[in-house]
Amino acid sequence: MIVDQLVERVSGHCYCGSVQFEVTIAPRDQIQFSEYCHCSSCRRAHAAPLFQGVCLPKRCIDITAGKEHVKSFRKENVEVARQFCGVCGTRLFNEFVSDSSTVALSPSDDAILGGDCSNADEEGKDEDVREEEYAVFFPSTLTDEDQANLPDRLQAKTHNHAGECVLDMALLQQLN
């Protein structure tokens, strides 16, 4: 089927290989952002001067092995749960949470995130805008082959919190 040919799949794993996952993105799936983040919180969590994150519907991420090794940490008063491998410590995903429930991006969030919250079904008819759970995955955890051939939809488009950058932004712009 032509639709199956348009689906993009990438796979990844943690450093030790205990947790493996696949990301499957259909043409109708809305990627909210793909960016490099420079904020102090993310720099500390990743022990790096910046990292790339891709925010997409949580249902696009499938842990194919090692689900029992995925651990989660949430700092008090922060609406992000950071998931990592309990064996080697590799950061795997971020999930948006509020109290004990997952935050769903609504149409009012669309203006902030710059995305289009509407989806089309297989017949091309517009569905009603619906709330959906989102998560962030990190392309640096993809296989070497998938990192080298990262689909355009997953390429970083912006720098988030660039004002907190600890690197020379002019140099970073040359690397894009």
Side-chain angles (χ1 to χ4, degrees), residues 37-46 48 82 161 164-166:
C37 189
H38 300 272
C39 81
S40 61
S41 174
C42 292
R43 288 196 325 261
R44 185 173 309 277
H46 285 271
R82 299 177 187 272
H161 295 282
E164 296 182 45
C165 183
V166 296

Side-chain angles (χ1 to χ4, degrees), residues 8 23-34 53-61 96 105-107 109-120 126-137 153-154 157:
E8 296 171 299
V23 177
T24 304
I25 309 156
R28 65 177 163 72
D29 292 325
Q30 179 62 43
I31 294 176
Q32 294 297 320
F33 61 78
S34 179
V54 178
C55 182
L56 65 162
K58 184 177 169 182
R59 63 180 161 66
C60 295
I61 302 171
F96 300 100
L105 298 174
S106 65
D109 295 317
D110 185 45
I112 298 168
L113 296 169
D116 176 7
C117 289
S118 64
N119 284 327
D126 288 336
E127 294 177 347
D128 291 332
V129 174
R130 58 187 161 99
E131 291 184 351
E132 182 149 34
E133 297 177 350
Y134 283 80
V136 176
F137 87 95
R153 289 179 71 192
L154 302 181
K157 307 290 190 269

Side-chain angles (χ1 to χ4, degrees), residues 36-51 73-82 91 94-96 138 160-166:
Y36 295 111
C37 189
H38 300 272
C39 81
S40 61
S41 174
C42 292
R43 288 196 325 261
R44 185 173 309 277
H46 285 271
L50 75 156
F51 79 97
F73 173 77
R74 180 177 172 211
K75 192 173 180 179
E76 190 175 330
N77 299 322
V78 175
E79 292 186 345
V80 173
R82 299 177 187 272
R91 292 282 319 284
N94 283 351
E95 286 190 82
F96 300 100
F138 313 114
N160 188 29
H161 295 282
E164 296 182 45
C165 183
V166 296

Side-chain angles (χ1 to χ4, degrees), residues 11-14 21 90-93 137-143 147:
S11 60
H13 55 83
C14 63
F21 65 91
T90 300
R91 292 282 319 284
L92 298 167
F93 315 103
F137 87 95
F138 313 114
S140 62
T141 58
L142 295 176
T143 64
Q147 284 185 50

Side-chain angles (χ1 to χ4, degrees), residues 57-103:
K58 184 177 169 182
R59 63 180 161 66
C60 295
I61 302 171
D62 182 31
I63 298 173
T64 57
K67 194 174 230 175
E68 69 276 11
H69 298 299
V70 176
K71 305 299 178 199
S72 184
F73 173 77
R74 180 177 172 211
K75 192 173 180 179
E76 190 175 330
N77 299 322
V78 175
E79 292 186 345
V80 173
R82 299 177 187 272
Q83 298 187 347
F84 60 95
C85 172
V87 178
C88 68
T90 300
R91 292 282 319 284
L92 298 167
F93 315 103
N94 283 351
E95 286 190 82
F96 300 100
V97 294
S98 177
D99 299 321
S100 62
S101 62
T102 301
V103 173

